[in-house]
Amino acid sequence: MAAATTITITGAGGQIGYALLYRIAAGDMLGADRSVRLRLLEIPQGMRAAEGAALELQDCAFPLLDDVEVTDDADVAFDGANIALLVGARPRGPGMERADLLAANAGIFGPQGAAIARGAASDIRVVAVGNPANTNALIAAASATGVPADRFSALTRLDHNRAIGQLAARLGARPDAVRNVAIWGNHSATQFPDISHATVDGIPLIDALSGTLGGEAAAHAWLDDEFIPRVAKRGAEIIDVRGSSSVASAANAAIEHVRDEQLGTAGGWTSAAVVSHGEYGVPEGLVCSFPVVSDGSGYRIVDDLPLDARARERFGASVAELVAERDAVRNLGLL
Ligand code: NAD
Ligand code: LMR
């Protein structure tokens, strides 16, 4: 078996951390032939919860788990890391404005990016899960001097999976029959879940929907009035129904994001927020969700899809939000 892969998980004592750790250690992320070494980063208040999770990891006696270390020191946590999942973030509190939230999270993701630059392995790949995920990834990348920016990404796989879940349910299809859905833009309510290139069992998805709903006009009405808002606001729906934000589905999406990036996408593209090089007119350097593929060497944007005027307008609105987030962080002197 190859040398163990070192994986750093920040916020490991939190809800998503608890849902992630055991699946990673069981081999769900990197496969049954790669052993893992886990580095759990917490703030002092979260240390006991992370230490408890580490005790339980030991009690699982996972054959692939080489070692677990719990720390509140970012330099220790990222030392030699091959993969980092940045989950720990500052949630929005009462009376907090968006700028306050961006500033609080810049204070977390900036220093973590710098620690990654100081100590991570040369093949490090990082995914930001903590919100606002796209801009947190941008901040971490900007602070990681010497690490190529394209090693940083943010999670929109959850939105991608949510879109597939809604479509499969509406069509009475298996989720794995639905291919080539795309999430464009920000991991926020402005995102654009797009089915214009999607298929179900090889049939254009719009045709299948038109058949189910009684015509193309009805299909478009369902997409505009139900599907897009439902997917874009699913995070809020989960908070409303559960009483707290998504956990198992977020952890599952993070595992699938890393797995596909590291092992390669199969059967079409997926969605991830990655650094723009100007694709589709998105300003260079923004961390924006696109359809992406990977051959195991990192995500590459599928850059040749036709987008009609309505799609461009929806995508443009979400990109404008990302630009505003970037500018707010810049104006605070944090970028
Ligand atoms: P949680 O509050 O249960 O856990 C967060 C943990 O992070 C806490 O244990 C906290 O102590 C820790 N933490 C805070 N600051 C830290 C720092 N500087 N270094 C290390 N650890 C730190 O929250 P959760 O439910 O696990 O969610 C985590 C984040 O993920 C939230 O920002 C949430 O909004 C976000 N989220 C993103 C997606 C997505 O699809 N991108 C989906 C769901 C949730
Ligand atoms: C989610 O999508 O479930 C999370 O990002 C939580 C949220 O605030 O929407």
Side-chain angles (χ1 to χ4, degrees):
M1 198 180 280
T5 302
T6 300
I7 303 167
T8 305
I9 297 140
T10 76
Q15 294 292 317
I16 294 176
Y18 195 72
L20 270 174
L21 297 175
Y22 306 91
R23 288 193 57 194
I24 294 173
D28 286 1
M29 191 165 82
L30 298 179
D33 59 347
R34 268 169 80 175
S35 56
V36 296
R37 198 180 295 126
L38 299 182
R39 298 278 175 269
L40 315 187
L41 179 65
E42 260 295 346
I43 49 177
Q45 306 90 291
M47 284 293 284
R48 290 289 286 170
E51 282 162 1
L55 295 181
E56 283 201 71
L57 278 165
Q58 188 178 35
D59 294 348
C60 292
F62 288 118
L64 292 172
L65 182 58
D66 265 23
D67 178 42
V68 184
E69 189 169 351
V70 184
T71 178
D72 59 4
D73 180 336
D75 283 313
V76 172
F78 292 112
D79 185 37
N82 305 107
I83 295 170
L85 295 105
L86 308 185
V87 180
R90 173 81 190 275
R92 190 198 290 260
M96 250 174 126
E97 299 298 334
R98 197 164 181 83
D100 301 329
L101 185 73
L102 288 167
N105 280 295
I108 295 173
F109 287 79
Q112 289 181 356
I116 286 168
R118 283 193 294 275
S122 58
D123 64 351
I124 179 72
R125 291 198 179 276
V126 183
V127 56
V129 176
N131 282 319
N134 300 51
T135 298
N136 288 340
L138 178 78
I139 291 164
S143 307
T145 311
V147 181
D150 66 6
R151 300 298 182 79
F152 290 80
S153 59
L155 189 71
T156 54
R157 181 62 171 264
L158 178 55
D159 310 290
H160 182 95
N161 289 346
R162 286 168 169 166
I164 290 175
Q166 291 299 317
L167 293 165
R170 193 68 196 85
L171 293 167
R174 283 170 49 109
D176 61 354
V178 179
R179 298 277 168 94
N180 290 348
V181 164
I183 303 295
W184 303 90
N186 201 0
H187 172 66
S188 77
T190 67
Q191 67 178 261
F192 172 40
D194 177 18
I195 64 99
S196 51
H197 308 283
T199 58
V200 54
D201 285 321
I203 299 165
L205 200 132
I206 189 68
D207 294 350
L209 262 185
S210 302
T212 301
L213 296 171
E216 205 167 322
H220 281 293
W222 181 79
L223 287 169
D224 287 347
D225 300 340
E226 294 189 42
F227 170 75
I228 292 175
R230 187 96 193 262
V231 173
K233 295 181 192 159
R234 185 67 156 188
E237 183 182 351
I238 300 289
I239 291 170
D240 184 39
V241 176
R242 275 191 89 234
S244 66
S245 65
S246 59
V247 175
S249 56
N252 178 65
I255 284 169
E256 292 187 346
H257 172 109
V258 174
R259 186 196 63 205
D260 284 0
E261 186 179 27
Q262 296 274 332
L263 306 183
T265 42
W269 64 65
T270 182
S271 300
V274 297
V275 175
S276 167
H277 315 94
E279 291 88 348
Y280 299 97
V282 175
E284 231 173 282
L286 277 193
V287 177
C288 179
S289 186
F290 294 98
V292 294
V293 289
S294 171
D295 60 6
S297 64
Y299 281 129
R300 185 176 59 72
I301 296 168
V302 178
D303 62 1
D304 57 356
L305 299 174
L307 291 180
D308 67 19
R310 277 156 48 95
R312 284 194 176 276
E313 192 185 325
R314 285 188 185 275
F315 183 21
S318 197
V319 171
E321 183 182 54
L322 285 172
V323 169
E325 288 184 13
R326 180 200 62 193
D327 291 349
V329 176
R330 260 191 198 154
N331 292 339
L332 292 165
L334 300 169
L335 256 191

